[in-house]
Amino acid sequence: MRLPWLQISDAIKDRLTSAGAPGIWAANISDEVMYAEVSGRQTHGFDMLEAMLTRTERTCEIPLVEDNVSSAGLVVEAKGHPGPVVAAAAVDGARRAADEHGIGVAAARSASTFLAAGYHPYQLALTGRYATIAVSVAKARVAPIGARRAVLGTNPLAIGAPSTHGPLVIDIAMTPLPAAEVRRRAKTGEPLPPGLAVDSEGEPTTDAAAATEGAIFPFGGYKGSGLAVLIEALAGGLLGVKCGLRHGDLRGMVFIVIKADLWASADTVSSAIGDLIEDITSSPPLGGEPPAAPGLRTHRAITTALTYGVELQPSRLAKLTALGVDLPSSR
């Protein structure tokens, strides 16, 4: 069935409010869940709502603490709050600092991070006023190059910038499959591709359940491993939280927001990046599919869903209904 975006979003907000979420929390969570779901990241969309409800119930009366470490940035201290709420507070601080200084930086120490790294870079790029970098450190599930045990997180990285064709956004984990997809396959019994993981004994496996007890490998060999290490240092080490196998369970997020008109006019920036996208998409294809620029498929999916509604497959509708989200078909 197809339902208007706002009808689904409002129903999710109502369910979060019934769990104790203040209005702004409900909006933060619902908006990011909808972005992930509609952009094709179901493991980070409706599948995460149950965890968000649980975190809301536990922390709705505990305030977030924001510490302005400098005029150009702040750090948010969370106590188990839902990741989208923490991320939204940090990003808003970085954006305000960018409005004043041209560049703003914010970080957060939290047990839970954003659901989709690309969400805030997308939203800020959509305004045409900002470029954004977002990173976070995740639980140790990734073996560094040459190793057989998990030391690093999947450590997502997202970068977004405005263009005349819509936000240019890349959102990647440091592994071929995100951790949530590995967990999903562990539940369904769907195998992993060969060469992706080892079990708890360090032996190669295609069993996703065994991989959750062992480690998965980074993409791109030493390059992906190196990126994962650097993000671990930036979003973990610099914040004094989870970094490698030590320093506790708290995880870090870092956001860097840059005004689009810092070095050139915002129109010049959007036009230049739009030209880049045209150069990419107009290039002769190597195979059957034409070249694609990162983020444009997500932008089209979201624009289409906002205009014509969201197509909910029966399993996705059942997921929401089971969590107490009140939609027309469940009445």
Side-chain angles (χ1 to χ4, degrees):
M1 66 184 298
R2 187 176 293 275
L3 292 174
W5 176 299
L6 284 178
Q7 187 172 22
I8 303 171
S9 178
D10 285 347
I12 293 173
K13 290 176 189 175
D14 288 344
R15 178 64 183 92
L16 287 160
T17 300
S18 73
I24 187 64
W25 283 32
N28 292 156
I29 298 169
S30 176
D31 289 350
E32 192 168 342
V33 163
M34 288 295 293
Y35 170 88
E37 183 74 20
V38 172
S39 65
R41 301 169 177 86
Q42 293 184 344
T43 53
H44 297 70
F46 297 164
D47 290 359
M48 293 299 297
L49 188 54
E50 182 176 6
M52 295 300 98
L53 287 165
T54 299
R55 287 192 178 277
T56 295
E57 291 168 349
R58 290 175 179 171
T59 63
C60 60
E61 296 183 1
I62 304 173
L64 287 172
V65 177
E66 298 183 13
D67 181 13
N68 290 296
V69 294
S70 77
S71 60
L74 57 77
V75 62
V76 178
E77 304 283 359
K79 303 294 183 183
H81 297 79
V85 174
V86 184
V91 169
D92 186 59
R95 180 196 55 77
R96 285 185 276 111
D99 284 339
E100 183 176 353
H101 300 285
I103 299 177
V105 181
R109 299 182 183 96
S110 175
S112 174
T113 64
F114 43 61
L115 304 179
Y119 170 69
H120 288 289
Y122 174 85
Q123 293 293 343
L124 288 174
L126 197 60
T127 70
R129 298 177 57 200
Y130 307 96
T132 307
I133 303 168
V135 295
S136 78
V137 65
K139 293 180 180 178
R141 294 191 177 97
V142 179
I145 191 73
R148 298 198 292 180
R149 72 169 180 176
V151 174
L152 308 169
T154 53
N155 297 359
L157 160 70
I159 302 173
S163 89
T164 51
H165 294 284
L168 180 73
V169 179
I170 185 169
D171 177 350
I172 56 173
M174 298 299 110
T175 48
L177 293 177
E181 174 62 15
V182 176
R183 293 195 300 271
R184 185 193 70 79
R185 294 189 184 206
K187 291 180 179 179
T188 63
E190 185 179 348
L192 298 173
L196 183 68
V198 293
D199 61 21
S200 59
E201 302 298 320
E203 296 300 321
T205 185
T206 58
D207 183 337
T212 62
E213 300 298 324
I216 49 181
F217 295 125
F219 72 83
Y222 71 88
K223 293 182 180 180
S225 182
L227 276 174
V229 169
L230 289 174
I231 294 172
E232 194 94 8
L234 176 64
L238 287 183
L239 286 166
V241 296
K242 189 267 176 186
C243 189
L245 299 177
R246 314 179 201 188
H247 307 288
D249 296 326
L250 281 181
R251 297 157 64 184
M253 293 183 280
V254 173
F255 302 93
I256 302 170
V257 178
I258 305 168
K259 285 285 295 295
D261 61 359
L262 180 61
W263 298 300
S265 73
D267 288 343
T268 297
V269 169
S270 289
S271 179
I273 298 174
D275 290 345
L276 170 63
I277 290 172
E278 291 178 11
D279 290 343
I280 293 170
T281 57
S282 65
S283 296
L286 183 61
E289 292 292 325
L296 296 195
R297 185 177 300 174
T298 290
H299 183 54
R300 285 194 296 269
I302 290 173
T303 301
T304 299
L306 286 169
T307 304
Y308 300 106
V310 179
E311 183 66 34
L312 284 182
Q313 298 300 320
S315 62
R316 305 313 286 168
L317 181 61
K319 169 77 70 173
L320 292 177
T321 301
L323 293 173
V325 177
D326 186 20
L327 289 168
S329 64
S330 62
R331 292 173 186 164

